Amino acid sequence: MPVDLLPVDGIDTAPNRMTLMQSTIDSVHNGWWRMHRTHSSKAKLVHGDIYQLPGDLGTFDIGVFGSILLHLREPWGALSEAAGRVRETIVVTDLVQDRGAPLSSNIMRISPLTRDEISNWWTIYPGAVVKMLERLGFPDATTTEHKQKHHLGHRLEDEAVEMEMEMFTVVGRRAG
């Protein structure tokens, strides 16, 4: 499925969409397949629309959103779709982009940093994720903060673009 890019008046996002899909998505797939082989995983990779998961996909114990909500046009829609398939736990990890309010704040706002920024839609505070998960049936939530290494442009071979990013993880569990 094509990635969600923030529309900007006067900018043709089609070339950016292809570049982003080829570089970033290919890197993610390559990493997934490497870990799959390394750990002899039996997990299956499914491609589809995050807002309308395939009907025959089934249900799962755990759903994981790894630094994706800020890139989605509809974070609620994606979480809601997953919540209908997850029996026990949803894990959401994302970027801390702003400390203008306590991280427990129920804040989610549109967040393009510049006119040319077309892949980051939202600044999402962990408190907003907790509230969404509560409404979706995962009221037992814990939040942690941590740092992750990130390579700008996902260029893993270039140490010059490596930086530590502030992140949060919300683990939401279904009640009893």
Side-chain angles (χ1 to χ4, degrees), residues 76 104-106 126-136 141 170:
W76 171 264
S104 60
S105 300
N106 182 7
V129 174
V130 168
K131 290 293 184 191
M132 287 189 274
L133 291 176
E134 284 175 359
R135 297 286 260 178
L136 292 168
V170 175

Side-chain angles (χ1 to χ4, degrees), residues 140-156:
D140 179 16
T142 57
T143 302
T144 57
E145 295 179 56
H146 48 95
K147 293 186 184 218
Q148 293 292 131
K149 287 190 179 180
H150 175 68
H151 290 79
L152 292 176
H154 302 279
R155 296 188 317 262
L156 300 179

Side-chain angles (χ1 to χ4, degrees), residues 9 23 33 38 59 69-70 90-91 94 101 106 110 112 114 128 148 165-166 168:
D9 186 45
S23 63
W33 283 113
T38 301
T59 58
L69 290 185
L70 71 118
I90 292 182
V91 179
D94 231 312
N106 182 7
I110 196 87
T114 67
Q148 293 292 131
M165 304 293 288
E166 286 189 72
F168 68 85

Side-chain angles (χ1 to χ4, degrees), residues 24-64:
T24 305
I25 305 302
D26 285 351
S27 295
V28 170
H29 284 159
N30 290 342
W32 192 90
W33 283 113
R34 179 178 181 193
M35 295 307 292
H36 193 269
R37 282 189 308 276
T38 301
H39 296 285
S40 302
S41 174
K42 291 183 177 35
K44 295 179 181 171
L45 177 63
V46 176
H47 293 264
D49 184 341
I50 197 164
Y51 306 114
Q52 290 184 309
L53 296 175
D56 61 351
L57 196 56
T59 58
F60 305 91
D61 293 335
I62 300 171
V64 178

Side-chain angles (χ1 to χ4, degrees), residues 35-126:
M35 295 307 292
H36 193 269
R37 282 189 308 276
T38 301
H39 296 285
S40 302
S41 174
K42 291 183 177 35
K44 295 179 181 171
L45 177 63
V46 176
H47 293 264
D49 184 341
I50 197 164
Y51 306 114
Q52 290 184 309
L53 296 175
D56 61 351
L57 196 56
T59 58
F60 305 91
D61 293 335
I62 300 171
V64 178
F65 287 78
S67 300
I68 188 70
L69 290 185
L70 71 118
H71 296 296
L72 297 178
R73 180 185 68 244
E74 301 175 41
W76 171 264
L79 280 174
S80 180
E81 187 71 10
R85 306 296 184 102
V86 173
R87 291 183 293 266
E88 296 175 18
T89 306
I90 292 182
V91 179
V92 176
T93 297
D94 231 312
L95 184 63
V96 174
Q97 298 181 74
D98 183 6
R99 288 198 173 262
L103 293 182
S104 60
S105 300
N106 182 7
I107 297 173
M108 185 172 127
R109 67 172 180 270
I110 196 87
S111 107
L113 301 174
T114 67
R115 180 173 159 74
D116 297 329
E117 178 57 64
I118 58 174
S119 69
N120 290 2
W121 287 71
W122 304 100
T123 293
I124 303 174
Y125 278 69

